[in-house]
Amino acid sequence: MDLRRDARMVALAALMYGAAPGFAAAQTPSDAYYHFLMGRHLEVDGNAAAALAALERAAAADPQSAEIRAEIAGLQYRRDMRDEAEKAAKAALALNPKNVEAHRWLGLIYANAAARERNTAAQVEMFVRDAITHLEQAIAGSQGPPDPNLNFTLGRMYTVANQPEKGIEALRRVLSQSPYSVQARLALAQAYAATGNLRSAISTLEEVADDSPVALEEMGKYQASAGMLKEAIATYTRGLQGQPNSRRLKLQRIAAALDDKQYQQAATFAAE
């Protein structure tokens, strides 16, 4: 999005409309474009309510525009108006089933909905399935470099849907753009672990373990699960150097020592 160009277009349109006092022509697609650009401009300025009003005027001026309704969905999504965003995105797809932005917002909406704690198993399955459907279409229809946010979300959804191989593919695309993203590496490690490839899960986290206590702890868990108990003990010890009062890390280190039959060492750890 070229916001400077949009702002110039808004200013030009405002001058054109302001140059004719009392101008009262019927709304046309050019009116829709003016209100569309004004909506973007107002959101950038931090006036979300006015931006939404401008976009709604744009939609009224051009009722067949899927792009305007997708823009409304995006603004509502960013304002955490998820039900309204879903409705606007569906309206956009009713006008153009291939609208990329509408698929983007629906995919993100359903992915977030899948994480609600009060969901039943059936609801989680439904939201995950719908998220995957829309995210796949958004990615397939996008131009330019891959969108890391969409691929990250899709990768997580694939793993939840017991399709970790596809999750690995999507998350590796994210790391090709952001190789030191802790969240992407945690998600990729989880996908590898879901396939039983614990060594790949461990190596994925090694790159960021020294900079992320969470990644370090997860790496220790995968090492313990892989039977690499001495390595797990060493990893938990590294974690305790940065978090010396972490009861969770202390218990995990004691458990690893016991599993490795290092009973005296476990007792020493317990006394610390």
Side-chain angles (χ1 to χ4, degrees):
M1 181 192 305
D2 188 340
L3 295 177
R4 288 178 297 181
R5 177 182 177 276
D6 285 355
R8 288 196 297 270
M9 292 298 295
V10 168
L12 177 60
L15 287 172
M16 291 172 62
Y17 277 73
F23 184 77
Q27 288 187 319
T28 68
S30 62
D31 298 320
Y33 188 56
Y34 165 73
H35 292 304
F36 178 82
L37 293 180
M38 184 61 77
R40 284 187 168 182
H41 176 70
L42 288 166
E43 185 182 7
V44 170
D45 279 353
N47 194 342
L52 181 56
L55 290 172
E56 287 173 343
R57 289 193 295 273
D62 188 359
Q64 297 305 310
S65 172
E67 289 74 16
I68 293 173
R69 280 150 187 80
E71 188 77 12
I72 291 173
L75 174 58
Q76 290 170 325
Y77 178 86
R78 291 186 288 274
R79 295 185 69 195
D80 204 27
M81 300 167 60
R82 301 299 164 84
D83 291 341
E84 295 85 347
E86 180 184 9
K87 181 179 178 180
K90 286 182 174 179
L93 291 181
L95 293 167
N96 178 6
K98 295 184 179 180
N99 185 276
V100 170
E101 290 303 302
H103 283 300
R104 170 197 297 273
W105 300 123
L106 284 174
L108 295 175
I109 287 167
Y110 294 138
N112 285 326
R116 295 173 186 160
E117 292 184 0
R118 63 178 183 274
N119 285 339
T120 64
Q123 287 174 318
V124 171
E125 182 180 356
M126 176 188 68
F127 286 134
V128 169
R129 181 180 64 247
D130 290 346
I132 289 172
T133 296
H134 289 290
L135 290 169
E136 285 179 338
Q137 292 188 67
I139 291 171
S142 297
Q143 297 179 347
D147 185 320
N149 186 37
L150 292 185
N151 277 295
F152 174 75
T153 307
L154 180 60
R156 290 193 302 109
M157 292 296 99
Y158 278 140
T159 302
V160 174
N162 294 318
Q163 302 177 55
E165 294 84 0
K166 289 185 176 181
I168 290 167
E169 292 178 12
L171 292 163
R172 288 180 67 178
R173 289 196 292 270
V174 178
L175 288 180
S176 70
Q177 296 174 281
S178 303
Y180 298 106
S181 168
V182 173
Q183 291 303 315
R185 285 187 175 273
L186 286 167
L188 179 58
Q190 185 180 20
Y192 275 128
T195 68
N197 189 348
L198 293 174
R199 290 191 176 274
S200 289
I202 293 164
S203 64
T204 295
L205 295 177
E206 281 177 338
E207 292 288 335
V208 294
D210 288 333
D211 300 318
S212 169
V214 174
L216 188 66
E217 181 177 351
E218 289 301 306
M219 186 173 75
K221 291 178 183 178
Y222 291 133
Q223 288 169 329
S225 296
M228 302 168 61
L229 296 170
K230 290 180 175 58
E231 291 85 349
I233 292 168
T235 295
Y236 292 136
T237 300
R238 285 167 60 191
L240 285 166
Q241 291 172 356
Q243 302 179 80
N245 297 319
S246 172
R247 178 175 175 81
R248 186 175 60 252
L249 286 174
K250 289 180 179 181
L251 290 174
Q252 288 168 339
R253 185 172 66 165
I254 292 168
L258 289 172
D259 288 342
D260 199 35
K261 296 183 173 53
Q262 297 185 44
Y263 302 118
Q264 185 58 50
Q265 183 65 77
T268 300
F269 288 153
E272 292 181 356

